[in-house]
Amino acid sequence: MSALVELRVADRDVDVAFEIGDGETVALLGPNGAGKSTTLAALGGLLRPDTGRILLDGEVLTSAGLAGPDRWVPPHARRTALLAQDPLLFPHLSVLENVAFGPRSTGAGRRDAHRTAEHWLSEVDAADLAGRRPSELSGGQAQRVAVARALAADPRLLLLDEPMAALDIAVAPALRTLLRRVLADRSAVIVTHHVLDALLLADRVVVLEDGRVAEQGPTSEVLARPRSGFAARFAGLNLVAGTATPDGVRRDDGLVLHGTAGDPHPVPDADAVAVFRPSAVAVHREPPGGSPRNALRVTVTELEPLGDVIRVRAGELAADVTVASVTELGLAPGVPVTFVVKATEVDVYAR
């Protein structure tokens, strides 16, 4: 099922537009308050936008403030299903009855609904849980049942709102593998703050910032060559925005970051971004001698342990260094340092 989303919600200052291809999973990314939950609520029919339209496989689910009469299909008639952080299982029903609820609510008989429920419980490796009550399930088991319940309703569009956020770190990988399998041939929208969810589950990403689409495109492309600050941080990359020069990007303060032009090649004086990995950054307490191509004077704001390295954050920029380097340089929040990165490590793209 393909979908078209164009909506504006005035009191939340959200104005977004994007498409969902047939059988495509789209990840909505962005900081808190960017408009992700608002968009998901509008898709599910839980929120009426002030203006805009939502089409699902050509059917108008929402139309407001446009030419012609307004239209709004209620949630139960949209054939969309929402999978949230909390499984929200009915506590008084068995697992089997929970999963059978969707088909029963659309008119299926008890036997057919149970057959459908049994099929989806088997698909999510939870057939042995059919007779239990939700209170007897672990968090991972309950979320598997919630996936089965959502799919048993045969949704045209599956909506996932951070479905793994409340799970233990040891349980999340198994559910992520499950979702990758069941989403392979259906249309879905997933809101997530985890880069692995986007990489493993989404065909495309839509990045929202301040209620607007900051960028969108194939997942691998956006995360490898981000053009928005949030996408860069999400992918674990540094990004410096400015205007293109013949060999780099000039920030608003006049500093030029030299790099290698990517494709599409930025036009001089047009908006452009320079992207580089934290691991490519060397940290110095004093500006190094000679004339390094790229030297950024910054102030340490945070030290973040990442396995064998420490990520040194300085506002929007970051460098990965060893524990020994942190000790040797006396790094701590508030300490001024210089980030140095070779021009060959910096990729420059049109924005």
Side-chain angles (χ1 to χ4, degrees):
M1 295 290 176
S2 59
L4 172 67
V5 182
E6 298 173 345
L7 60 92
R8 179 175 180 273
V9 181
D11 64 348
R12 302 187 186 185
D13 193 24
V14 171
D15 190 347
V16 302
F18 62 92
E19 296 183 10
I20 305 164
D22 186 18
E24 182 178 62
T25 296
V26 172
L28 289 182
L29 310 179
N32 291 334
K36 304 184 300 296
S37 294
T38 296
T39 302
L40 215 61
L43 280 166
L46 304 175
L47 174 70
R48 297 194 190 200
D50 297 296
T51 59
R53 58 179 177 159
I54 298 174
L55 277 64
L56 184 55
D57 208 32
E59 179 188 354
V60 179
L61 300 183
T62 298
S63 180
L66 304 175
D70 287 357
R71 175 175 170 79
W72 180 76
V73 175
H76 67 272
R78 292 188 170 219
R79 284 186 57 199
T80 60
L82 174 65
L83 183 65
Q85 296 180 28
D86 189 330
L88 300 175
L89 301 176
F90 298 116
H92 62 291
L93 297 180
S94 69
V95 163
L96 182 67
E97 294 294 348
N98 262 282
V99 179
F101 179 83
R104 286 296 299 275
S105 66
T106 57
R110 182 182 180 85
R111 180 177 298 178
D112 287 341
H114 279 189
R115 187 179 298 115
T116 299
E118 289 166 352
H119 166 74
W120 283 111
L121 284 172
S122 178
E123 284 292 306
V124 302
D125 299 322
D128 58 327
L129 305 176
R132 298 190 191 181
R133 293 292 177 90
S135 61
E136 301 174 299
L137 303 177
S138 68
Q141 289 171 334
Q143 199 66 312
R144 282 180 175 273
V145 173
V147 172
R149 184 178 63 177
L151 296 173
D154 192 26
R156 296 187 295 175
L157 180 65
L158 186 60
L159 308 173
L160 304 100
D161 190 2
E162 298 193 66
M164 284 162 286
L167 295 181
D168 185 272
I169 191 171
V171 176
L175 184 62
R176 190 174 288 117
T177 300
L178 166 65
L179 288 174
R180 186 178 187 185
R181 176 163 55 85
V182 300
L183 293 178
D185 59 351
R186 66 179 62 244
S187 299
V189 177
I190 179 171
V191 169
T192 181
H193 284 95
H194 202 300
V195 67
L196 277 180
D197 294 343
L199 286 171
L200 296 180
L201 302 179
D203 302 293
R204 286 195 312 115
V205 299
V206 175
V207 181
L208 303 183
E209 290 184 337
D210 300 321
R212 306 294 186 272
V213 175
E215 65 174 313
Q216 59 180 304
T219 303
S220 58
E221 179 179 320
V222 171
L223 296 185
R225 307 189 329 184
R227 289 168 171 78
S228 66
F230 180 85
R233 293 190 298 276
F234 188 83
L237 299 172
N238 287 310
L239 180 146
V240 174
T243 56
T245 70
D247 67 344
V249 171
R250 179 182 291 105
R251 296 194 312 193
D252 290 342
D253 62 5
L255 183 143
V256 175
L257 197 66
H258 303 277
T260 303
D263 184 24
H265 195 92
V267 177
D269 296 324
D271 290 343
V273 293
V275 178
F276 52 98
R277 295 171 292 107
S279 59
V281 180
V283 180
H284 300 263
R285 278 298 297 267
E286 300 297 333
S291 55
R293 296 300 302 275
N294 295 310
L296 304 168
R297 195 63 178 164
V298 297
T299 299
V300 176
T301 55
E302 182 184 359
L303 299 178
E304 178 185 357
L306 292 177
D308 296 333
V309 301
I310 302 296
R311 179 154 292 176
V312 182
R313 295 193 180 277
E316 298 296 313
L317 299 179
D320 289 346
V321 301
T322 64
V323 174
S325 294
V326 171
T327 302
E328 180 183 345
L329 295 171
L331 301 181
V335 172
V337 296
T338 299
F339 280 4
V340 175
V341 57
K342 296 178 181 179
T344 53
E345 297 286 351
V346 179
D347 295 318
V348 178
Y349 304 105
R351 192 170 192 180

